[in-house]
Amino acid sequence: MKIIKNQKSKKIIALLTDFGNKDGFVGSLKAVILSINPNIEIVDISHEVESFSILEASIILNATYKYFPKGTIFLSVVDPGVGTEREAIIVKTENYIFVSPNNGILTLPLKNEKIKEIVKIENKKYMLKSDTNTFHGRDIFAPVSAYISRGVALKNFGKKLKKDNLVIMKDIYPEEKEDRIIGKVIKFDKFGNAITNIDKIPENSKILFRDYQLKICNNFQEGDKYIPSLIKGSFGFYEIFLKENSAKDILNINLFEEVIILK
Amino acid sequence: MKIIKNQKSKKIIALLTDFGNKDGFVGSLKAVILSINPNIEIVDISHEVESFSILEASIILNATYKYFPKGTIFLSVVDPGVGTEREAIIVKTENYIFVSPNNGILTLPLKNEKIKEIVKIENKKYMLKSDTNTFHGRDIFAPVSAYISRGVALKNFGKKLKKDNLVIMKDIYPEEKEDRIIGKVIKFDKFGNAITNIDKIPENSKILFRDYQLKICNNFQEGDKYIPSLIKGSFGFYEIFLKENSAKDILNINLFEEVIILK
Amino acid sequence: MKIIKNQKSKKIIALLTDFGNKDGFVGSLKAVILSINPNIEIVDISHEVESFSILEASIILNATYKYFPKGTIFLSVVDPGVGTEREAIIVKTENYIFVSPNNGILTLPLKNEKIKEIVKIENKKYMLKSDTNTFHGRDIFAPVSAYISRGVALKNFGKKLKKDNLVIMKDIYPEEKEDRIIGKVIKFDKFGNAITNIDKIPENSKILFRDYQLKICNNFQEGDKYIPSLIKGSFGFYEIFLKENSAKDILNINLFEEVIILK
């Protein structure tokens, strides 16, 4: 399919946070954004990221961002260090703009994106004044994203950073050994599928999870209701699943459990 | 009330899925739709349908679709058979367009709608290319809905189907016997109300649930905090409820528990 | 930061309910609103307010409304009395318009807003006709909000009320004694922080929660993973928190537990 883009796009700000949908935090973000730029399309990616899980946010952002129109601004906030000296950054790539704390949340998407510019957010002119120090999503990331969407040049927000300044998550990729690859479960989805960090499996290898040897399926119906199988899934990684059942609940899978590929 | 529609409507795509609000799946749908048609209004009906529950999806769709403006496109995906040979369809009725797997999800809304055209989705030109087979919401249903919203004629998506080809859920209506009607609980709502499949009750009948004889109330305040009552509710069915309490939790009601109407 | 508003705003209707995101109730609200006014921006504040908790709704509304552009219409429905004689009202303040049941939900925001006009919603012309009495969000509050957004003057909806007619929650503020202030926990947020009703703490006072003496922190990282601290948070109140942990879960905090400030 060629995506036809012959209609003028509204600028999009896409939101990804661990703020939850209950407390009104996201409503505040949107209120701030719409106060600054009423002509914006706001799209929620997720606000139910596990609290403080930079890893899960990075996985979700990586699985979704590339489906958005070019020029989309991604406001991604999972921010255990809010209010401390951790940096707030803007990363412009060939196709998109990412606004987030500099804490590793951009690790996975930036692997595939060509970085053009990185800026540290410093200029208080583009921040909300606040007497609390607990909600930079509302007070810093939202207004900065909105001003970017209005065309404010990135250099106005603060000084340039280098690629070396980017905080990157390590230890999230499978461990390559001579005879095996050691992967792990890095996320569960709503259906109880256990997403691993494995995105490639050499032909004719044996895949082991606990005492199971996992068969690779082409669709979920090829699986079994109680014996786990493997499938290449929507996050771009292989997933352990049960057919119409929650693998997580029925097999009591733990986050970071190992999956072994014998080459 | 007459709904006054003297303002030009944006086309609406309404979304109903079991994808959850946590994993970013819905963000991907919206990204694909907005890439194809930026001038669209996207409205979420629900993404928290019980995983794989075609019945719950049908109940929710049935309770909401008729409030949308004419011409709304409903993208409804609860799809245990994703990636198999189950069909993907477009159903055009006098008022609306429904896009979904052909698995029974449209059973309840189509009872009241006059069907004009049914098309099987086959044309790969309107699908996203993907190396996985697990996310037809993103790769098929979203782009097809977006192209429909842009005015692509239905015949372009694939061959015509007949009404007989529609998969319809059976056994979801109450059982009519000579002296009684046997209904059942088919859904719980957020307040713990137990929605039954009963939409009509003959006058002067006795309504039994377990050892309780249910009184029909006109509003929730007429009920009791611990003794269940019945009310005609927002889904168009009678609901078992407790006043300001969760009937589901306090009475431990099970899905498909029986409610008996003695005529 | 000065918020620059040199672009024409679409009217905004912001939604706050306890309807949940699962059952499609919110989809119905939006469908009704868009049928009446297609040129409206709808923003969700929250639909996951605890069922029937007027207090939580008031706290969330109070923490968010002031970030919205002037003229925003707030449709707030937590409505245990739906279908009874409790009033439905419109309150116009200097900056905003609030539409809700007259049950105390507006208590906190109206403390800071200058009230200009209060109207009882009576005119059936602006309501949806319905054969049930359980969903005034859809049948009354949504259409009324949409007609307000289209410019219908408030006097058309019903008779004027006086400020004395407003139902206001009492007992939600801390108790001031000679030597101490007795506050309480009034809400938990998604991170497990325990929001208190205390918004001011005299200098050099001792703050007691159970056997802990709480230290006031400037950011969450200054706290401890297991010993509770206090911080001025996003709701405008002091919050009991653990660093990157859920205070609610780890300390088993109960709603309405006391926090004592010794002056």
Side-chain angles (χ1 to χ4, degrees):
Chain A
M1 190 196 69
K2 273 195 295 178
I3 291 184
I4 305 159
K5 285 180 194 160
N6 59 3
Q7 303 194 26
K8 203 179 164 279
S9 297
K10 249 183 177 184
K11 266 273 185 231
I12 296 174
I13 295 179
L15 308 181
L16 175 66
T17 76
D18 65 347
F19 295 167
N21 287 310
K22 182 182 195 311
D23 297 312
F25 298 141
V26 178
S28 294
L29 292 194
K30 294 180 180 174
V32 170
I33 291 170
L34 287 165
S35 293
I36 295 168
N37 186 355
N39 294 308
I40 193 79
E41 181 88 39
I42 301 175
V43 177
D44 297 303
I45 298 176
S46 170
H47 301 290
E48 296 292 349
V49 172
E50 296 296 323
S51 301
F52 317 120
S53 177
I54 292 161
L55 173 60
E56 187 174 53
S58 201
I59 295 167
I60 292 174
L61 185 57
N62 186 50
T64 51
Y65 82 95
K66 51 184 165 289
Y67 294 96
F68 281 85
K70 283 190 187 192
T72 296
I73 298 160
F74 295 93
L75 187 173
S76 310
V77 186
V78 173
D79 194 10
V82 60
T84 65
E85 289 302 307
R86 70 94 188 85
E87 294 168 326
I89 54 171
I90 307 166
V91 180
K92 187 172 161 40
T93 70
E94 208 163 16
N95 300 308
Y96 299 109
I97 293 175
F98 298 89
V99 181
S100 73
N102 187 12
N103 62 10
I105 197 170
L106 301 179
T107 302
L108 289 169
L110 290 186
K111 264 188 73 184
N112 306 305
E113 287 292 306
K114 200 171 163 184
I115 296 174
K116 302 290 246 183
E117 195 177 348
I118 308 172
V119 167
K120 183 176 172 180
I121 300 170
E122 297 173 307
N123 191 341
K124 291 208 186 321
K125 186 175 148 193
Y126 299 109
M127 301 178 190
L128 238 61
K129 234 171 139 164
S130 175
D131 63 339
T132 65
N133 216 352
T134 58
F135 198 0
H136 287 187
R138 179 192 66 198
D139 300 334
I140 298 178
F141 296 106
V144 164
S145 301
Y147 281 111
I148 294 172
S149 78
R150 285 183 49 160
V152 174
L154 298 201
K155 64 178 182 194
N156 293 300
F157 293 97
K159 71 162 183 243
K160 279 205 182 193
L161 296 181
K162 292 185 181 151
K163 276 179 82 164
D164 293 352
N165 298 121
L166 280 179
V167 174
I168 293 296
M169 280 186 288
K170 276 151 195 162
D171 301 330
I172 59 172
Y173 305 106
E175 210 178 325
E176 288 268 358
K177 304 229 167 179
E178 203 173 323
D179 67 329
R180 64 187 59 200
I181 301 166
I182 305 171
K184 60 189 173 191
V185 171
I186 53 172
K187 173 177 162 53
F188 300 99
D189 75 9
K190 191 246 191 185
F191 300 94
N193 301 328
I195 322 306
T196 74
N197 60 349
I198 300 164
D199 61 356
K200 271 183 218 121
I201 294 179
E203 267 186 86
N204 302 316
S205 31
K206 242 186 178 170
I207 308 147
L208 304 175
F209 173 69
R210 295 180 188 167
D211 292 338
Y212 299 103
Q213 183 175 339
L214 302 179
K215 137 181 113 155
I216 299 183
C217 296
N218 190 44
N219 64 59
F220 292 116
Q221 290 297 319
E222 288 178 16
D224 183 273
K225 284 186 93 75
Y226 299 100
I227 300 166
S229 309
L230 209 64
I231 194 166
K232 187 76 179 280
S234 321
F235 292 97
F237 296 108
Y238 284 91
E239 311 178 357
I240 301 168
F241 78 97
L242 295 176
K243 174 176 154 184
E244 292 177 43
N245 257 336
S246 165
K248 175 176 191 255
D249 292 346
I250 290 191
L251 305 174
N252 276 305
I253 302 180
N254 294 306
L255 202 60
F256 305 128
E257 262 200 81
E258 282 192 355
V259 180
I260 312 273
I261 300 173
L262 296 179
K263 300 186 197 173
Chain B
M1 189 195 71
K2 272 194 296 178
I3 290 185
I4 304 159
K5 283 180 194 160
N6 60 3
Q7 304 194 24
K8 203 178 165 282
S9 295
K10 247 183 178 184
K11 266 273 184 232
I12 296 175
I13 296 180
L15 308 181
L16 175 66
T17 75
D18 65 347
F19 296 167
N21 287 311
K22 181 183 195 311
D23 297 313
F25 298 141
V26 179
S28 293
L29 292 195
K30 294 181 181 174
V32 169
I33 292 170
L34 288 166
S35 293
I36 295 169
N37 188 355
N39 295 308
I40 193 78
E41 181 88 38
I42 302 175
V43 178
D44 298 302
I45 297 176
S46 171
H47 301 290
E48 297 291 351
V49 172
E50 296 296 323
S51 301
F52 318 119
S53 177
I54 292 161
L55 174 59
E56 187 174 53
S58 201
I59 296 167
I60 292 173
L61 185 58
N62 187 50
T64 51
Y65 82 94
K66 50 185 166 288
Y67 294 96
F68 281 86
K70 282 190 187 193
T72 296
I73 298 160
F74 294 93
L75 188 173
S76 310
V77 187
V78 173
D79 194 10
V82 60
T84 66
E85 289 303 306
R86 70 95 189 84
E87 294 168 328
I89 53 170
I90 308 165
V91 180
K92 187 172 159 47
T93 69
E94 209 162 17
N95 300 308
Y96 300 108
I97 294 176
F98 298 89
V99 182
S100 74
N102 187 12
N103 62 9
I105 196 170
L106 302 179
T107 303
L108 289 169
L110 291 187
K111 266 188 72 183
N112 305 307
E113 286 292 305
K114 199 171 165 183
I115 296 175
K116 303 290 243 182
E117 194 178 350
I118 310 173
V119 167
K120 182 176 173 181
I121 301 171
E122 296 173 308
N123 191 342
K124 291 207 185 319
K125 187 176 150 192
Y126 300 109
M127 302 178 189
L128 237 62
K129 234 170 138 166
S130 175
D131 63 338
T132 66
N133 216 352
T134 58
F135 197 0
H136 287 188
R138 178 192 66 198
D139 299 335
I140 297 178
F141 296 105
V144 164
S145 301
Y147 281 110
I148 295 171
S149 77
R150 284 183 51 159
V152 174
L154 296 202
K155 63 178 181 191
N156 293 300
F157 293 98
K159 70 162 185 245
K160 280 205 180 194
L161 296 180
K162 291 185 182 149
K163 277 179 82 162
D164 292 351
N165 298 122
L166 280 179
V167 175
I168 292 295
M169 280 185 289
K170 276 150 193 161
D171 303 331
I172 57 173
Y173 305 106
E175 210 178 324
E176 288 269 358
K177 305 229 168 180
E178 204 173 323
D179 67 329
R180 64 186 60 199
I181 301 166
I182 305 171
K184 59 188 173 192
V185 171
I186 52 173
K187 176 178 158 52
F188 299 100
D189 75 7
K190 190 245 191 184
F191 300 95
N193 301 329
I195 321 305
T196 74
N197 60 349
I198 300 163
D199 61 356
K200 271 181 218 122
I201 294 177
E203 266 187 88
N204 301 317
S205 31
K206 240 186 177 172
I207 308 147
L208 304 176
F209 173 71
R210 295 180 188 169
D211 293 338
Y212 300 102
Q213 183 174 340
L214 302 179
K215 135 182 115 156
I216 300 183
C217 296
N218 190 43
N219 65 58
F220 293 116
Q221 290 297 319
E222 288 178 15
D224 183 273
K225 284 186 92 74
Y226 299 100
I227 300 166
S229 309
L230 209 62
I231 194 166
K232 187 78 178 280
S234 321
F235 292 96
F237 297 108
Y238 283 91
E239 313 179 354
I240 302 167
F241 78 97
L242 294 176
K243 174 176 153 183
E244 293 178 42
N245 258 336
S246 166
K248 176 178 191 252
D249 292 346
I250 289 190
L251 305 172
N252 275 306
I253 302 180
N254 294 307
L255 202 60
F256 305 128
E257 261 200 84
E258 281 191 356
V259 181
I260 312 272
I261 301 174
L262 297 177
K263 301 184 198 174
Chain C
M1 190 196 68
K2 271 195 295 179
I3 291 185
I4 306 158
K5 284 180 194 161
N6 59 3
Q7 305 194 24
K8 201 178 166 282
S9 296
K10 250 184 178 182
K11 266 273 185 230
I12 295 174
I13 296 180
L15 309 180
L16 175 66
T17 76
D18 65 348
F19 295 167
N21 287 312
K22 179 180 195 317
D23 296 312
F25 298 140
V26 179
S28 294
L29 293 195
K30 294 180 181 175
V32 169
I33 291 170
L34 288 166
S35 293
I36 295 169
N37 187 355
N39 295 307
I40 193 78
E41 181 89 37
I42 303 175
V43 178
D44 298 302
I45 297 176
S46 171
H47 301 289
E48 297 291 350
V49 171
E50 295 296 322
S51 301
F52 318 119
S53 177
I54 292 161
L55 173 60
E56 186 174 54
S58 200
I59 295 168
I60 293 174
L61 185 58
N62 187 51
T64 51
Y65 82 94
K66 51 184 165 286
Y67 294 97
F68 281 85
K70 282 191 187 190
T72 295
I73 298 160
F74 294 92
L75 188 172
S76 310
V77 187
V78 172
D79 194 12
V82 61
T84 65
E85 289 303 306
R86 69 95 189 82
E87 295 167 326
I89 53 169
I90 307 165
V91 180
K92 187 172 160 44
T93 69
E94 207 162 16
N95 299 309
Y96 300 108
I97 293 176
F98 299 88
V99 181
S100 74
N102 188 11
N103 63 9
I105 197 170
L106 302 179
T107 303
L108 289 169
L110 290 186
K111 266 188 72 182
N112 305 306
E113 286 292 306
K114 199 171 165 183
I115 296 175
K116 302 289 245 183
E117 193 178 349
I118 308 173
V119 168
K120 183 177 173 181
I121 300 171
E122 297 173 306
N123 191 342
K124 290 207 187 321
K125 186 177 151 193
Y126 300 109
M127 300 179 189
L128 237 60
K129 234 171 139 162
S130 175
D131 63 338
T132 65
N133 216 352
T134 58
F135 197 1
H136 287 188
R138 179 192 66 198
D139 300 335
I140 298 178
F141 296 105
V144 163
S145 301
Y147 282 110
I148 295 172
S149 77
R150 284 183 50 159
V152 175
L154 296 201
K155 62 177 181 195
N156 293 300
F157 293 97
K159 72 163 185 242
K160 281 206 179 192
L161 296 181
K162 292 187 181 149
K163 277 180 83 164
D164 291 352
N165 298 122
L166 281 179
V167 174
I168 292 296
M169 281 186 287
K170 277 152 194 161
D171 301 331
I172 57 173
Y173 305 106
E175 210 180 324
E176 289 268 357
K177 305 231 166 177
E178 203 172 322
D179 66 330
R180 63 186 62 199
I181 301 166
I182 305 173
K184 60 189 171 190
V185 171
I186 52 172
K187 176 179 159 50
F188 299 99
D189 74 9
K190 191 245 189 185
F191 300 95
N193 301 329
I195 322 306
T196 74
N197 60 349
I198 299 163
D199 61 356
K200 271 185 218 118
I201 295 179
E203 265 186 271
N204 301 318
S205 29
K206 241 186 177 171
I207 308 147
L208 304 176
F209 173 69
R210 296 180 186 169
D211 292 337
Y212 298 103
Q213 183 175 338
L214 303 178
K215 133 183 116 155
I216 299 183
C217 296
N218 189 44
N219 65 59
F220 292 116
Q221 290 297 319
E222 288 178 15
D224 183 274
K225 283 186 93 73
Y226 299 100
I227 300 165
S229 309
L230 210 63
I231 193 166
K232 187 77 178 281
S234 321
F235 292 96
F237 297 108
Y238 284 91
E239 312 178 355
I240 302 168
F241 77 97
L242 295 176
K243 174 176 154 183
E244 292 177 43
N245 258 336
S246 165
K248 175 177 190 256
D249 293 345
I250 289 190
L251 304 173
N252 276 305
I253 302 179
N254 294 306
L255 203 61
F256 305 129
E257 262 200 79
E258 281 192 354
V259 180
I260 312 272
I261 300 172
L262 297 178
K263 301 186 197 172

